[in-house]
Amino acid sequence: MEHGNAEDGGLDVVVTTLASDSHTWNLVFLQLLLEEMGHRVTNLGACVPDALLLAECRRIVPDLIVISSVNGHGHQEGLRVIPALRACPELRRTPTVIGGKLGIAGADDPDRERTLLSAGFDAVFEEGGSVAPFREFVDGLRSRVLL
Amino acid sequence: MTGFGAFVAQAADAGALVVQPRMGMAEAARMRDGLLATRGAAAVTVGTITLDSYTRTGDLDAARRALALGAGLNGYPIATHPVDVTRAVLHGVADAGFPVQVRHGSAAPERIFEALLAAGLDATEGGPVSYCLPYGRTPLHEAVACWRRSCELLASIREFGAEPHLETFGGCMMGQLCPPSLLIAISVLEALFFRQHGLRSISLSYAQQTNARQDEEALAALGRIADELLADVDRHLVVYAYMGVYPRSPGGARLLLEDAARLAVRGGAARLIVKTTAEAHRIPTVAENVRALEAAAAAATAERTRPRPAAPPDTGIEAEARALIGAVLDLDADLGRALVRAFAAGYLDVPYCLHPDNAGRTRSSLGPDGRLYWSAVGSMPIAGLVEGGRPPILGSAGLLSALSHVQRRYDGRAPRPAAAPPVPRGLPAAR
């Protein structure tokens, strides 16, 4: 077990959005979904400044960081945040995913996913039918943590 | 009296519903064209200047950079354009026969209020709770202090004979899934806050929810409570066409807008803020906005010719709203302090609101009849006021279904239904 403490099988998960994004229904939904899957969620709410995101993740040392953004700036802001997260020794290998509506030009942009992955995200979930793959990803983590 | 409130009052006396778009463009010439088109619509209209999100959050450097680079802004940067530019936008467009309101969404609107006053405008909207809790993490006590100073600034022009107007946004908390009694309470409390800080022309908002009869009951209650608690100020009710996940089909979107217009007429509102058929997809064009204004005005006119329906039965909305308002007023004679204490104590607690100053112990749900119900009231002083059981607390699938209920229902009623997506898109940013 590398991250957090996953006793009774649940993961410690930080659910967050990015600094410019005031939407929260997506965060409410993700918290309910993850809690129903048996995980413990810290939900950071709307418009999370980079410094607060880093401080909370360093304090909690979660098993998973879920970044959700739907205002179209998620791609830009995700690329800004992920190097800062990876620069923290305790978060260097923490599974970190991003999803939502990440750009202003629609969902089908393979370059966007590639850029985000190579910048350090472990997975990218674009809006539209992405709940099942997200669940699979989280289920995969749980089994990895339990090993 | 002249100004925004007087214009709406005159229209109401003449039996016309005032209709208004949400509209904001970064470029001055396009903003002016949008106002001219609104003015020219076949309806009794007022104009809107909606601000961009950099200005909303106070990042005026970012607004200046975006404007200089010609990068897209999602609204008019009123604190960045030189005041002469904004005056030129309004010159020959805005006057006593076509008042213009600034819509912004800011928890700390002082710079915005300064800019709109400098440009010769005196009507805007928002509130210390409604523009703080749903959209950011500004502490509530800071938003209250900013809004107090902003209200006093706006009210200060009364000594020059103007009658500035301020509209509550409290009738729209979270855009959807907030039961009517709490919407009414926050709208009234924000109006009382405005009056405490010098405003004498105020409108109280209520956003269309999920059930027409429930909304009619709510609007009637809001009107009665406002008549009682705000008897000494010029006031009217304003309805917002649905602020949640919007129908994707043009037909469904139009039916929902027409229902909003009918609700405004039946509920005694004097003004309606419209939504367009593009709502679920993108920022609407000026032409789409004009069509929405005209469709809403036509639906309102038709509704006025129909016999008045019987008043909706009392399901306890007014009793709950009065209990909430009374509990807050009892906390402190200063409305701002009372609001901060009310949220700290959970006497006001907005369901699904993640703001650190919101207790987060309430939950709402949609009943099988399409009405909004409380599933959990937390510490709000309304337990036991309404008989009947509470629906279970929503899980993730139930939440998604509730959020898209109106979209599904109206797309289903549309003449040519669009294919429904698996999950709702375009979750509301509102405003």
Side-chain angles (χ1 to χ4, degrees):
Chain A
M1 238 189 293
E2 274 197 55
H3 299 287
N5 71 70
E7 55 208 342
D8 52 321
L11 305 174
D12 285 312
V13 185
V14 167
V15 169
T16 184
T17 187
L18 295 162
S20 80
D21 197 339
S22 62
H23 298 76
T24 55
W25 285 114
N26 47 323
L27 308 179
V28 172
F29 168 74
L30 284 166
Q31 175 168 2
L32 289 175
L33 181 73
L34 287 160
E35 286 174 351
E36 286 161 12
M37 292 167 70
H39 306 301
R40 291 172 295 278
V41 173
T42 304
N43 194 333
L44 301 185
C47 296
V48 180
D50 295 5
L52 178 70
L53 174 58
L54 286 173
E56 284 296 279
C57 289
R58 295 184 75 170
R59 183 179 68 79
I60 295 163
V61 195
D63 303 301
L64 169 65
I65 300 169
V66 177
I67 298 176
S68 173
S69 175
V70 295
N71 74 345
H73 292 178
H75 178 232
Q76 293 170 38
E77 293 199 272
L79 290 176
R80 185 187 69 223
V81 158
I82 189 67
L85 286 169
R86 294 307 186 206
C88 304
E90 62 273 53
L91 303 173
R92 195 174 298 142
R93 297 181 57 198
T94 306
T96 303
V97 304
I98 187 165
K101 184 175 185 292
L102 300 177
I104 53 174
D108 301 320
D109 185 348
D111 280 350
R112 188 158 63 219
E113 180 170 353
R114 211 159 35 236
T115 326
L116 288 164
L117 290 174
S118 60
F121 283 102
D122 296 286
V124 178
F125 302 94
E126 287 273 9
E127 183 191 43
S130 56
V131 171
F134 173 72
R135 291 183 69 121
E136 279 168 37
F137 179 89
V138 177
D139 286 342
L141 280 185
R142 166 145 55 181
S143 40
R144 215 169 80 196
V145 171
L146 284 173
L147 283 177
Chain B
M1 192 181 77
T2 60
F4 193 92
F7 176 85
V8 174
Q10 282 156 18
D13 287 346
L17 179 70
V18 175
V19 290
Q20 179 179 1
R22 288 192 164 75
M23 184 189 282
M25 300 83 163
E27 260 180 83
R30 290 186 55 223
M31 188 71 246
R32 182 178 169 85
D33 288 346
L35 291 170
L36 281 167
T38 303
R39 183 178 174 137
V44 179
T45 58
V46 291
T48 301
I49 295 179
T50 301
L51 307 188
D52 66 286
S53 48
Y54 289 127
T55 303
R56 173 177 83 80
T57 53
D59 192 351
L60 298 183
D61 285 340
R64 193 175 309 115
R65 278 196 302 274
L67 205 56
L69 293 170
L73 278 175
N74 55 5
Y76 184 82
I78 198 168
T80 304
H81 278 308
V83 66
D84 291 347
V85 170
T86 304
R87 284 177 181 271
V89 165
L90 298 167
H91 182 73
V93 185
D95 57 29
F98 184 67
V100 171
Q101 185 194 40
V102 171
R103 305 191 68 89
H104 56 89
S106 177
E110 288 137 299
R111 297 289 296 277
I112 293 167
F113 280 35
E114 284 168 13
L116 71 90
L117 289 170
L121 294 170
D122 59 13
T124 183
E125 48 89 58
V129 174
S130 58
Y131 273 173
C132 175
L133 292 187
Y135 304 117
R137 50 198 325 120
T138 304
L140 182 60
H141 70 89
E142 282 181 26
V144 163
C146 289
W147 273 91
R148 175 174 45 75
R149 290 191 294 270
S150 301
C151 287
E152 286 165 359
L153 177 68
L154 189 62
S156 69
I157 66 165
R158 296 188 72 236
E159 68 176 284
F160 305 112
E163 193 56 89
H165 183 87
L166 196 51
E167 164 194 326
T168 69
F169 193 74
C172 181
M173 299 300 292
M174 307 303 288
Q176 60 187 121
L177 290 187
C178 184
S181 55
L182 184 57
L183 297 176
I184 293 168
I186 296 178
S187 207
V188 168
L189 289 163
E190 287 190 329
L192 291 169
F193 178 91
F194 297 165
R195 184 181 63 179
Q196 190 161 68
H197 298 295
L199 275 305
R200 291 295 178 267
S201 178
I202 294 168
S203 46
L204 297 96
S205 64
Y206 180 81
Q208 179 186 22
Q209 301 293 323
T210 53
N211 179 284
R213 295 295 274 170
Q214 189 178 34
D215 285 343
E216 282 169 43
E217 180 187 347
L219 267 177
L222 177 61
R224 280 191 295 271
I225 297 171
D227 286 349
E228 195 176 304
L229 298 182
L230 291 146
D232 55 347
V233 301
D234 167 64
R235 67 195 176 279
H236 67 265
L237 307 186
V238 52
V239 167
Y240 302 161
Y242 193 61
M243 294 290 278
V245 178
Y246 219 73
R248 296 177 58 74
S249 62
R254 179 153 171 159
L255 286 172
L256 184 53
L257 173 64
E258 288 169 347
D259 276 355
R262 282 189 275 272
L263 168 66
V265 171
R266 290 182 180 192
R271 183 160 55 98
L272 170 72
I273 301 190
V274 304
K275 283 278 174 97
T276 71
T277 53
E279 180 59 30
H281 308 282
R282 55 180 162 72
I283 295 175
T285 63
V286 169
E288 285 162 342
N289 257 311
V290 169
R291 281 198 293 277
L293 293 167
E294 293 178 345
T301 302
E303 180 64 25
R304 281 190 199 285
T305 65
R306 293 197 186 100
R308 250 183 105 79
D314 180 0
T315 66
I317 294 173
E318 183 166 350
E320 284 189 355
R322 286 181 184 273
L324 292 166
I325 293 165
V328 178
L329 295 181
D330 282 347
L331 287 173
D332 200 306
D334 178 282
L335 252 301
R337 279 201 300 268
L339 284 167
V340 171
R341 289 182 58 190
F343 277 97
Y347 290 178
L348 299 176
D349 187 348
V350 181
Y352 305 108
C353 173
L354 299 174
H355 193 284
D357 290 333
N358 189 60
R361 295 178 51 236
T362 62
R363 283 291 179 267
S364 59
S365 184
L366 261 184
D369 52 2
R371 288 173 176 249
L372 291 170
Y373 291 95
W374 291 108
S375 293
V377 299
S379 298
M380 295 197 303
I382 56 173
L385 280 185
V386 175
E387 290 176 11
R390 300 201 182 281
I393 287 173
L394 292 173
S396 62
L399 178 74
L400 274 193
S401 172
L403 286 170
S404 58
H405 168 82
V406 166
Q407 181 185 63
R408 278 197 314 278
R409 186 150 60 91
Y410 280 84
D411 277 339
R413 283 174 53 192
R416 279 187 300 158
V423 294
R425 299 167 67 96
L427 291 175
R431 278 174 292 281

